[in-house]
Amino acid sequence: MPNKMKFAIVGAGVIAPFHAKAISANSNADLVAICDTEIEKAEKLASEFGVSKTYIDYEDMFKKEEIDIVSVCVPSGLHAEITIAAAKAGIHVLCEKPLDITRENMSEMIEVCKNNKVKLGCVYQRRTLDAAVITRKAIQDGKLGKLVLGDAYLKYYRSPEYYESAGWRGTWELDGGGALMNQGVHGIDLIQWMVGDVESVFAYTAPLVRNIEVEDTAVITVKYKNGAFGVIQGTTSVYPGQETRFEIHGEHGSIIFADSGFKEWKFLNGDETIPKVGNNEGGGSDPKAISDEGHYLFVEDIIQAVREDREPLVPGEEARKAVDLILAIYESSKTGKEVKV
């Protein structure tokens, strides 16, 4: 096993610098190449991080460069294509969220990575936030008793200019959806990770404000497999963007937290000392304002997953859950019926 893992990045858009920064800061990693179909973007990012090799064609890069791990930072609908090519080249994959935008693509990604014995990790950095980790443990420890409600409020603002900034944004083909699939996917992943798997959904979704194909506003009622109910609201249409907020209630207590930390931590047994949290998440109104702390953890995790031959923090099977849930939401909105996940 090499002293340093050689990384490449495919896609030099908004999220790529988060990966580049995390890779460059890791003493076990070396960023050796960057690829983008717009070579100027690849060259700009490469110059910022002292990377000498840039490519316009990822297949070419996979053939010519010695790469251990690739960060997939392209539009969501292209995740499978690049992941599958990397796996066939024997390269481990750290994929940005969502895993992909169709069930078929996600299944193929997972299968090809497994068959080629490479790791497939997906970046859901909110799972590393202190408040989320503490809340999940409290639920699993039974502090809330029987769960009653698990709600997620994911109210973002994205301007018309944001959707015009790249041709793939707000399209079914490459974005795979709107406020839920792009922005809300983090919160949807988080609520089901904390509260438990979802049994069924009933949803309304539509582009109420933005001139896009996909939804900018969504309201969903949720039935969890453990019997609890919930509400998910997701938008990119409200100004200003709000802190994302999670409210979980059980027969014995309530936990509420937002991007800035805990708002409520109350239990029948009187344990009301609110836990201190260090890392917070932003990005309600500006996609570049999200915290980059999670990416440092995910880069280190994929390196150790390869070295220790273990599953990454969020492997493919786990990463697909949020997308499967969102696809069920879209089906419910389209058919006007409750849909099983």
Side-chain angles (χ1 to χ4, degrees), residues 91-137:
I91 298 167
H92 304 281
V93 178
L94 182 60
C95 184
E96 258 303 326
K97 60 75 193 167
L99 189 62
D100 196 82
I101 59 175
T102 74
R103 292 184 181 94
E104 298 75 20
N105 281 356
M106 292 189 294
S107 295
E108 191 179 352
M109 290 166 82
I110 293 165
E111 188 67 21
V112 173
C113 286
K114 189 176 162 190
N115 291 344
N116 286 277
K117 296 184 169 51
V118 301
K119 306 300 177 190
L120 171 58
C122 192
V123 180
Y124 281 108
Q125 70 266 26
R126 282 177 176 259
R127 289 195 185 198
T128 67
L129 295 177
D130 292 344
V133 172
I134 291 165
T135 298
R136 186 172 190 256
K137 187 174 188 310

Side-chain angles (χ1 to χ4, degrees), residues 9-17 19 36 71-75 79 94-96:
I9 296 174
V10 180
V14 171
I15 204 67
H19 286 255
D36 195 286
S71 282
V72 177
C73 301
V74 295
H79 286 181
L94 182 60
C95 184
E96 258 303 326

Side-chain angles (χ1 to χ4, degrees), residues 150-152 187-196 224 232 246 248:
D151 306 324
I188 288 170
D189 173 69
L190 205 59
I191 195 72
Q192 62 85 31
W193 182 64
M194 294 185 297
V195 177
Y224 295 94
I232 297 171
F246 302 88
I248 300 157

Side-chain angles (χ1 to χ4, degrees), residues 9-191:
I9 296 174
V10 180
V14 171
I15 204 67
F18 290 77
H19 286 255
K21 199 186 289 187
I23 295 162
S24 300
N26 194 302
S27 59
N28 295 311
D30 192 12
L31 182 55
V32 297
I34 296 171
C35 174
D36 195 286
T37 52
E38 294 178 43
I39 195 67
E40 302 79 17
K41 282 187 178 178
E43 287 168 350
K44 182 175 184 292
L45 190 64
S47 70
E48 285 170 20
F49 288 92
V51 178
S52 58
K53 301 286 185 68
T54 56
Y55 289 83
I56 203 163
D57 179 346
Y58 64 84
E59 295 268 18
D60 192 33
M61 181 174 76
F62 292 163
K63 281 194 196 104
K64 290 181 177 170
E65 297 297 327
E66 194 182 310
I67 301 164
D68 299 304
I69 301 168
V70 63
S71 282
V72 177
C73 301
V74 295
S76 308
L78 299 174
H79 286 181
E81 177 189 313
I82 289 154
T83 296
I84 290 162
K88 287 178 177 175
I91 298 167
H92 304 281
V93 178
L94 182 60
C95 184
E96 258 303 326
K97 60 75 193 167
L99 189 62
D100 196 82
I101 59 175
T102 74
R103 292 184 181 94
E104 298 75 20
N105 281 356
M106 292 189 294
S107 295
E108 191 179 352
M109 290 166 82
I110 293 165
E111 188 67 21
V112 173
C113 286
K114 189 176 162 190
N115 291 344
N116 286 277
K117 296 184 169 51
V118 301
K119 306 300 177 190
L120 171 58
C122 192
V123 180
Y124 281 108
Q125 70 266 26
R126 282 177 176 259
R127 289 195 185 198
T128 67
L129 295 177
D130 292 344
V133 172
I134 291 165
T135 298
R136 186 172 190 256
K137 187 174 188 310
I139 292 167
Q140 291 180 329
D141 289 348
K143 283 178 77 74
L144 282 76
K146 180 174 170 53
L147 293 179
V148 178
L149 293 169
D151 306 324
Y153 301 101
L154 316 167
K155 300 177 184 178
Y156 295 84
Y157 173 76
R158 293 294 183 265
S159 66
E161 292 75 25
Y162 166 82
Y163 286 107
E164 290 159 11
S165 69
W168 64 274
R169 295 195 188 280
T171 66
W172 286 114
E173 184 188 0
L174 291 177
D175 219 350
L180 299 180
M181 189 68 88
N182 193 313
Q183 289 76 22
V185 65
H186 283 293
I188 288 170
D189 173 69
L190 205 59
I191 195 72

